[in-house]
């Protein structure tokens, strides 16, 4: 899933840079890197063509000292256990950066949902949840959407969990509104990406967002909403690539029309008449000021990073940048906003959904957005302070903040 790179090794290399600054011992590093619990399950499913297929699923709970572990589930044919470990640990650091009372987990199923019927997908989701439900729940481990999973899948998660444990909507976030989902959850990650891009571009780099050119890889939940909010803030979205194709227009793409086109064409921007098609593999080298990777991990590498034209990279995706690419961006003076800050809006509003479910109340969208912005801007300032204090990158600054918060919580609870 991450090409040639191992996401877990990459995340742990980034961890070590921050742990060096904090002077962490070998023992403490070992303790904080090692996942608390890992589960691998097999799900036999009778497909509609009569064949029996056995799918593999994972759930990794990385660290729960600051609260119940929380993390998305992704459905992808190349999903590997090491990816899940990496993403679970990133969630521990992410929830700590935004200071919400959660730990980190992640899960998923090795499958290609584009080749499955809705019924097969429902059976597979239910089988997966029934096999891991003993370690889930509102006070243990809370599921949310990720790559190739959506509100409908979260509804099946809630229903299947409820069959054994009684109706507990707070066991999963990103649900449909009709089932206790939160206003603003679907747009929350993209909104956070856009807010982070705005703060970095205007406050840190001192530039004007109006007319700034944005390029994106991925136009699903995160990429689509990031593009929409950046467009509304006055930026120009000039190039977008996804699994189906890519389109560009230096004067700026009509983002609402592009979103409508993708909705009507199985989610892809391919075939959009308001732009020029190009090879999606060329997305990194497109002319632009702000680059938003919002699809897969491990895509910005020592091969692609030198071709990047932007002066700001905002990580919508989880772990899109390898440590080698991090070094290249640093050397080239390209500012990078790390995933654990830039895409933490989703985790933040998942927390709000959990709070609303536990209290049986509903907040309005404006209230959610206001609260989300407050949390994210505070996190932005907290990370900025670490960057100033330690003269480090924003990734290392965010990790220093997170590692220190998790270490303190661990110390207070006892080892
Ligand atoms: P999604 O399934 O809604 O969209 C994924 C997008 O990536 C699609 O446009 C797809 O075409 C594109 N894509 C997939 N493979 C590609 C490839 N090989 N080349 C080019 N484009 C490709 O998923 P999402 O929820 O938007 O998640 C995207 C990323 O954001 C993931 O890394 C995920 O972990 C991360 N993320 C998601 C959330 C969330 O709330 N959904 C929160 C934090 C981080």
């Amino acid at each position: 899933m991450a090409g040639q790179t191992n996401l877990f090794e990459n995340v742990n290399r980034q961890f070590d840079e921050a742990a060096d600054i904090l002077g962490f011992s070998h023992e403490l590093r070992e303790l904080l890197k090692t996942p608390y619990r890992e589960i691998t399950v097999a799900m036999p499913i009778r497909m509609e063509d009569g064949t029996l297929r056995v799918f593999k699923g994972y759930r990794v709970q990385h660290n729960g000292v600051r609260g119940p572990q929380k993390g998305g589930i992704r459905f992808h044919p190349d999903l590997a256990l090491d990816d899940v470990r990496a993403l679970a640990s990133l969630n521990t650091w992410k929830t700590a950066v935004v200071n919400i009372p959660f730990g980190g987990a992640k899960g998923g199923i090795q499958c290609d949902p584009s080749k499955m019927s809705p019924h097969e997908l429902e059976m597979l989701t239910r089988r997966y949840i029934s096999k891991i439900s003993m370690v889930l729940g509102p006070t243990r481990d809370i599921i949310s959407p990720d790559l190739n999973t959506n509100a409908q899948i979260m509804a099946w998660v809630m229903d299947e969990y409820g069959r054994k444990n009684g109706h507990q909507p707070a066991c999963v976030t990103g649900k449909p509104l009709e089932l206790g989902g939160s206003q603003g959850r679907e747009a929350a990650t993209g909104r956070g990406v856009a807010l982070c891009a705005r703060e970095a571009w205007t406050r840190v780099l001192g530039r004007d967002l109006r007319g700034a050119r944005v390029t994106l890889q991925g136009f699903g939940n995160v990429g689509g909403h990031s593009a929409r909010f950046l467009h509304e803030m006055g930026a120009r979205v000039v190039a977008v690539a996804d699994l189906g194709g890519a389109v560009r227009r230096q004067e700026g793409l009509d983002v609402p029309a592009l979103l409508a086109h993708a909705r009507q064409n199985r989610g892809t921007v391919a075939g959009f008449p308001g732009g020029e098609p190009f090879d999606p593999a060329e997305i990194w080298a497109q002319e632009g000021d702000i680059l938003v990777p919002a699809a897969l991990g491990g895509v910005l590498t020592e091969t692609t990073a030198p071709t990047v034209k932007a002066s700001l990279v905002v990580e919508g995706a989880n772990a899109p940048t390898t440590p080698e690419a991090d070094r290249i961006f640093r050397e080239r003076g390209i500012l990078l906003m790390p995933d654990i800050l830039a895409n933490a809006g989703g985790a933040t509003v998942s927390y709000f959904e959990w709070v609303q479910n536990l209290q049986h109340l509903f907040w309005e969208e404006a209230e959610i957005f206001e609260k989300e912005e407050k949390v994210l801007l505070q996190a932005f300032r907290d990370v900025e302070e670490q960057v100033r204090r330690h003269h480090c990158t924003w990734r290392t600054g965010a990790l220093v903040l997170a590692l220190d918060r998790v270490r303190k919580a661990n110390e207070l609870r006892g080892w």
Side-chain angles (χ1 to χ4, degrees):
M1 158 145 250
Q4 298 303 307
T5 64
N6 179 311
L7 289 195
F8 197 40
E9 279 171 19
N10 289 351
V11 169
N12 283 337
R13 275 170 67 186
Q14 292 160 349
F15 171 106
D16 278 326
E17 276 191 40
D20 287 345
I21 289 177
L22 289 163
F24 278 11
S25 66
H26 174 71
E27 287 88 354
L28 188 54
R29 289 174 201 232
E30 202 62 14
L31 179 79
L32 295 183
K33 279 182 188 173
T34 312
Y36 165 71
R37 180 187 277 136
E38 302 183 349
I39 300 181
T40 302
V41 288
M43 282 95 47
I45 300 291
R46 181 69 65 191
M47 306 299 277
E48 282 172 5
D49 65 4
T51 57
L52 184 82
R53 284 191 56 194
V54 183
F55 294 90
K56 202 181 246 186
Y58 307 105
R59 187 73 183 168
V60 172
Q61 298 174 336
H62 176 258
N63 186 300
V65 295
R66 298 184 67 260
Q69 292 156 105
K70 178 228 139 354
I73 50 170
R74 61 169 56 179
F75 291 178
H76 197 280
D78 303 333
L79 187 68
L81 183 55
D82 260 353
D83 293 340
V84 185
R85 289 184 177 122
L87 296 164
S89 70
L90 280 179
N91 277 336
T92 302
W93 315 133
K94 189 180 301 179
T95 49
V97 165
V98 287
N99 216 0
I100 55 176
F102 280 153
K106 195 79 178 191
I109 304 177
Q110 243 180 39
C111 70
D112 185 350
S114 70
K115 300 204 171 89
M116 297 172 70
S117 72
H119 178 69
E120 290 167 344
L121 212 51
E122 179 177 348
M123 291 302 106
L124 184 58
T125 305
R126 288 185 181 280
R127 198 51 77 78
Y128 170 66
I129 294 303
S130 95
K131 292 214 162 178
I132 63 168
S133 71
M134 72 292 274
V135 298
L136 302 178
T139 59
R140 290 174 183 272
D141 181 349
I142 299 136
I143 279 180
S144 55
D146 193 67
L147 205 65
N148 294 330
T149 57
N150 55 24
Q152 172 61 74
I153 292 173
M154 299 307 114
W156 294 329
V157 168
M158 183 192 81
D159 190 70
E160 190 61 34
Y161 180 81
R163 284 159 78 123
K164 279 191 191 150
N165 302 284
H167 183 55
Q168 297 187 52
C171 72
V172 49
T173 66
K175 300 179 292 293
L177 288 177
E178 296 81 352
L179 295 176
S182 175
Q183 297 283 353
R185 171 61 185 88
E186 208 192 292
T189 308
R191 188 159 178 278
V193 170
L195 288 172
C196 189
R198 184 193 71 191
E199 292 301 294
W201 190 252
T202 58
R203 286 208 315 110
V204 181
L205 295 177
R207 314 265 288 267
D208 190 349
L209 193 59
R210 272 166 308 167
R213 296 162 306 163
V214 179
T215 59
L216 298 110
Q217 186 197 45
F219 204 62
N221 177 303
V222 179
H225 286 291
S226 301
R228 177 164 73 86
F229 285 111
L230 282 165
H231 175 77
E232 286 170 7
M233 289 172 183
R236 246 186 310 155
V237 175
V238 294
V240 178
D242 68 19
L243 201 50
V247 282
R248 64 184 169 203
R249 184 169 183 267
Q250 267 300 303
E251 302 75 34
L253 293 156
D254 179 344
V255 175
L258 187 58
L259 286 162
H261 172 88
R263 263 195 305 275
Q264 286 152 16
N265 292 276
R266 296 176 60 88
T268 181
V269 300
F272 180 62
E276 176 200 358
F278 68 97
D279 178 357
E282 302 287 312
I283 184 66
W284 315 116
Q286 295 303 304
E287 291 294 337
D289 303 306
I290 303 173
L291 169 64
V292 181
L296 302 178
V299 288
L300 287 165
T301 61
E302 51 195 334
T303 315
T304 53
T307 70
V308 166
K309 303 268 192 337
S311 37
L312 172 65
V313 176
V314 185
E315 294 187 327
N318 283 312
T321 311
T322 64
E324 292 74 27
D326 261 339
R327 181 184 46 77
I328 292 166
F329 289 147
R330 200 165 49 226
E331 285 168 7
R332 294 185 58 208
I334 296 173
L335 179 64
L336 183 141
M337 291 291 123
D339 45 11
I340 57 174
L341 173 66
N343 72 28
T348 304
V349 178
S350 276
Y351 163 60
F352 296 157
E353 183 171 332
W354 178 78
V355 169
Q356 291 169 88
N357 290 159
L358 292 178
Q359 301 187 37
H360 308 283
L361 47 79
F362 293 96
W363 299 337
E364 312 252 312
E365 187 180 68
E367 196 178 349
I368 299 274
F369 280 173
E370 193 190 318
K371 286 184 186 342
E372 179 192 7
E373 186 159 344
K374 204 167 157 200
V375 168
L376 294 181
L377 294 190
Q378 182 61 51
F380 195 92
R381 284 191 292 272
D382 290 348
V383 175
E384 196 171 20
E385 193 191 317
Q386 299 296 334
V387 171
R388 280 216 194 94
R389 187 181 302 165
H390 302 293
H391 306 287
C392 60
T393 63
W394 279 68
R395 186 185 313 286
T396 302
L399 280 167
V400 166
L401 179 69
L403 265 57
D404 203 36
R405 283 180 173 161
V406 174
R407 178 191 59 81
K408 274 188 193 132
N410 214 331
E411 245 169 41
L412 288 166
R413 286 178 70 143
W415 303 110

